[in-house]
Amino acid sequence: MRYWLFIFMCYSLLFGESCNEFEECSMNPYSNYVVAEFNVMADAGRTISFDSVVLEGYGRLPYDQDTLVYLALPLDMDASGALYHYYTDSIIYTLGLTYKKEGLIYELHCDASVRFYDLDTTNQTFDSLVIVGRELNLSNYPINFEIYL
Amino acid sequence: MRSIFSILLLSISFLAAGQLVDTVRVKSDWNPSRIHFGVDANRFYNTVVKSYETSYGGMVDIDMHKFFVVLEGGWEKNHRIASYEYTNQGLFFKAGVDYNLIPHNIYRNAMSLGVRYASSYFSDQLVFEDDNYWYGNRTATLSNDALSAQWVEILLNLKVRIWKNLFLGSIVRIETLKNLSDTGHLVPYDVPGWGRNRKSGTDLKTTNMGFSYYVIWNLAFREKEIPNKKQN
């Protein structure tokens, strides 16, 4: 009897320890903005700047008049699509997006997150647009769109 | 003294079995002789100690030859409050068979290998502050009303008699082949009966380890001979 109780105790202690890993909150890769990289097709030395970039339902995006290489395009978790207009002195470019989203707890001690995924374009008027990453996950996809003018 | 007597008795039994093994073939007794009723002590402990968890579980099994036909079930509620509020609650059921590796044990102790088919039915809700640079802070509520999950468990089960008909049970499980129904706009953090749904970081857990500790009452309703080691 004692032998079996000893076996039971060893067995319980051996397997009873929890073995979950914990991540730092700063490692959370989920973001709420699309990263678009702008490239000039014909002349690599030319810079890109817009008069304004407007997100329908929100308004003008900050830093839209800077010389652009990258631009963060915010997504709204209450919607499933977004429409952006890029104004220059001569042309208006348009970019329409659809996406899915889900809430999650990345780690118990971190803030809750929203994961945006299945990113796609509904319409766009740039010379070319390549979807590099369909998920807003900065670890896996630091850039989502490569846009060529 | 009693142990020595037991050992002597066992030795005599083995010797006797050794002499008879060529001539006597003992028929397997598939008729049930006892039922085990168990209360999940681990869940009870968690309910008392952990402020965010309320959980109850139990098991019942019945012996058939060297096998136990087992049913387990329970209810679990997790209410986690941090910078968010996450509530997850539901039922789980597990059915399966254990194969006793030591049917000849004189105390009716059992060390079994088993399989379970498990099913969980639950709902969850996440309320949190969405901190958005462009849209500002907004309170968001996401929920799943009727989720289900199924999975398979392979386990090692140890039941040890501590006093008369009272046993302690300990189960270590490997849970795998999880199939979770469509989760809508919220990824569950917990699945009742399974444990943590997400691995640390970004991936879902496809395999999990689980532990259960049972306090078991043995209800014998028929005498059944404890077989010798040679009588298989």
Side-chain angles (χ1 to χ4, degrees), chain B residues 77-131:
Chain B
K77 180 179 181 181
N78 285 295
H79 184 69
R80 304 176 190 276
I81 299 175
S83 61
Y84 53 84
E85 193 172 338
Y86 179 69
T87 309
N88 180 309
Q89 63 179 322
L91 295 163
F92 64 90
F93 304 98
K94 300 175 184 185
V97 176
D98 287 358
Y99 177 78
N100 188 1
L101 300 168
I102 51 166
H104 45 77
N105 186 273
I106 57 168
Y107 302 111
R108 303 276 189 196
N109 294 337
M111 183 183 280
S112 314
L113 288 174
V115 289
R116 300 278 186 279
Y117 177 77
S119 212
S120 180
Y121 305 92
F122 62 103
S123 61
D124 66 345
Q125 185 182 65
L126 175 66
V127 181
F128 67 105
E129 199 76 18
D130 179 35
D131 183 15

Side-chain angles (χ1 to χ4, degrees), chain A residues 1 4-5 11-12 15-16 20-21 23 30 32 55 58 74 76 78 101-103 106-108 110-111, chain B residues 80 83-84 102 105 107 109 132 134-135 138 156 161-162 170 172 185 187 189 200-202 205 211 213:
Chain A
M1 186 86 106
W4 281 103
L5 279 174
Y11 177 87
S12 302
F15 292 110
N20 283 326
E21 298 164 24
E23 291 282 346
Y30 299 117
N32 53 13
L55 166 59
Y58 172 78
D76 183 1
D78 290 337
K101 70 274 178 180
E102 58 186 10
Y106 176 72
E107 271 292 348
L108 284 176
C110 306
D111 292 339
Chain B
R80 304 176 190 276
S83 61
Y84 53 84
I102 51 166
N105 186 273
Y107 302 111
N109 294 337
N132 191 302
W134 294 272
Y135 292 97
R138 294 174 300 178
L156 183 62
R161 183 179 169 187
I162 53 168
S170 181
V172 56
H185 292 319
V187 182
Y189 189 82
S200 181
T202 56
K205 269 190 163 182
F211 310 96
Y213 301 103

